[in-house]
């Protein structure tokens, strides 16, 4: 059976594995279709080079010139939301969860990136994306400081900006937000970093902290203890996903996570 990767044009033909078919020597072979991001990146860059060679765009141009961002970014958002709409058209709400990755907005708020004058991070970014997710579809936000070689693009002083963005997003959303996730750097297990969490207004939204790091059970327990002074029950997640972790790092993270967590009550 052929299984498309989520988000590809073939998503409408996704194969559901029958519950009586389990992995093993007698299972039918499974082939995953390519995600196609590489195809679009290569073909898009080829066209970019052609236009630059023809003089249509300047020699020193980047893929999106700053002067064009106000024009191009809304077009990209429209395309992104069209893709989301297609996903929602083909996957029942009860089987679907959407998590928006909030990284560029934090870069603006932390003054790491130059913010366009027309762009308000929460209003123009987070809330419009949240409103596009259908009722009944689980929705979450991952507030992200990046994972550049397992390092943030900036090390925040504390969780104040995360709390500010989280509260504004939860208050402004026109539909329920099921969870919110905040990253925790491996270098921070001090009470001062977590203190702003006491201002977090979650309501019924589940809260997750990204604090387990490879080969760091002791540090993970210290971060749990520090965070627990300011927030009640919370879940555990990685700092920024698992996609850039080696097999050894993944195994270690799972061992640490199992060791420091308990069942949800």
């Amino acid at each position: 059976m052929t299984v498309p990767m989520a988000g590809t044009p073939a998503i409408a033909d996704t194969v559901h594995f029958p519950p009586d078919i389990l992995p093993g020597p007698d299972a039918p072979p499974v082939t995953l279709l390519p995600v196609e991001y590489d195809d679009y990146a290569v073909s898009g860059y080829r066209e970019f080079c052609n236009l630059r060679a023809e003089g249509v765009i300047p020699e020193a141009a980047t893929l999106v010139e700053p002067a064009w961002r106000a024009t191009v970014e809304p077009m990209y958002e429209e395309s992104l939301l069209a893709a989301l709409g297609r996903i929602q058209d083909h996957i029942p709400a009860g089987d679907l969860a959407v998590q928006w990755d909030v990284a560029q907005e934090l870069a603006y708020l932390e003054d790491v990136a130059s913010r366009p004058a027309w762009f308000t991070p929460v209003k123009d970014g987070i809330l419009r994306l949240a409103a596009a997710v259908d009722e009944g579809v689980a929705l979450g936000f991952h507030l992200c400081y990046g994972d550049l070689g397992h390092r943030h693009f900036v090390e925040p002083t504390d969780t104040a900006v995360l709390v500010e963005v989280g509260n504004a997003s939860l208050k402004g959303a026109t539909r329920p937000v099921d969870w919110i996730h905040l990253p925790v750097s491996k270098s921070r297990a001090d009470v001062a970093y977590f203190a702003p969490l006491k201002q977090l207004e979650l309501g019924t939204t589940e809260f997750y902290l990204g604090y387990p790091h490879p080969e760091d059970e002791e540090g993970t327990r210290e971060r749990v203890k520090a965070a627990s002074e300011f927030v009640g029950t919370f879940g555990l997640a990685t700092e920024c996903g698992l996609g850039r972790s080696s097999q050894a790092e993944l195994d270690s993270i799972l061992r640490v996570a199992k060791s420091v967590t308990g069942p949800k009550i």
Side-chain angles (χ1 to χ4, degrees):
M1 62 182 71
T2 300
V3 182
M5 297 295 285
T8 68
I11 192 169
D13 303 318
T14 297
V15 174
H16 295 279
F17 291 95
D20 58 334
I21 296 181
L22 299 175
D26 298 326
V30 175
T31 301
L32 295 182
L33 296 181
V35 296
E36 299 181 348
Y37 289 123
D38 49 344
D39 292 336
Y40 287 110
V42 172
S43 62
Y45 181 66
R46 186 182 301 119
E47 180 65 16
F48 171 76
C49 289
N50 290 338
L51 292 173
R52 186 168 58 184
E54 294 169 6
V56 176
I57 57 177
E59 181 66 27
T62 58
L63 279 174
V64 180
E65 282 286 290
W68 280 91
R69 287 177 63 180
T71 300
V72 173
E73 290 190 12
M75 294 169 62
Y76 176 77
E77 180 181 316
E78 181 180 358
S79 179
L80 181 67
L81 295 184
L84 172 64
R86 186 160 181 258
I87 291 171
Q88 294 181 141
D89 287 343
H90 289 91
I91 300 178
D95 289 337
L96 181 61
V98 173
Q99 176 172 279
W100 291 117
D101 188 292
V102 182
Q104 188 64 40
E105 291 81 0
L106 288 181
Y108 291 149
L109 293 170
E110 293 282 6
D111 294 323
V112 175
S114 177
R115 185 195 313 180
W118 51 270
F119 186 85
T120 304
V122 173
K123 179 181 177 182
D124 293 324
I126 301 171
L127 296 184
R128 282 213 304 266
L129 295 178
V133 179
D134 291 344
E135 289 285 345
V137 175
L139 168 66
F141 291 118
H142 162 50
L143 306 188
C144 182
Y145 279 112
D147 185 18
L148 310 174
H150 294 327
R151 293 180 179 273
H152 293 161
F153 53 69
V154 64
E155 290 296 342
T157 303
D158 52 30
T159 53
V161 171
L162 295 170
V163 169
E164 177 185 355
V165 173
N167 282 341
S169 301
L170 296 178
K171 289 180 180 178
T174 57
R175 52 142 296 156
V177 177
D178 296 278
W179 73 87
I180 190 168
H181 169 273
L182 276 59
V184 182
S185 173
K186 186 175 182 178
S187 64
R188 301 300 296 269
D190 54 293
V191 170
Y193 179 80
F194 296 97
L197 293 180
K198 63 185 177 183
Q199 305 298 330
L200 192 59
E201 301 175 18
L202 291 168
T204 59
T205 300
E206 294 184 355
F207 181 51
Y208 293 86
L209 282 171
Y211 53 78
H213 296 273
E215 306 300 336
D216 189 36
E217 181 175 336
E218 181 180 352
T220 298
R221 292 188 181 279
E222 291 175 356
R223 285 184 281 278
V224 171
K225 181 180 179 181
S228 297
E229 294 191 27
F230 305 103
V231 65
T233 302
F234 55 89
L236 172 150
T238 57
E239 183 180 27
C240 192
L242 293 168
R244 292 157 297 280
S245 299
S246 67
Q247 183 64 55
E249 290 172 331
L250 172 59
D251 291 343
S252 177
I253 289 171
L254 294 178
R255 286 195 300 270
V256 171
K258 181 179 179 180
S259 176
V260 303
T261 57
K264 181 179 178 181
I265 300 175

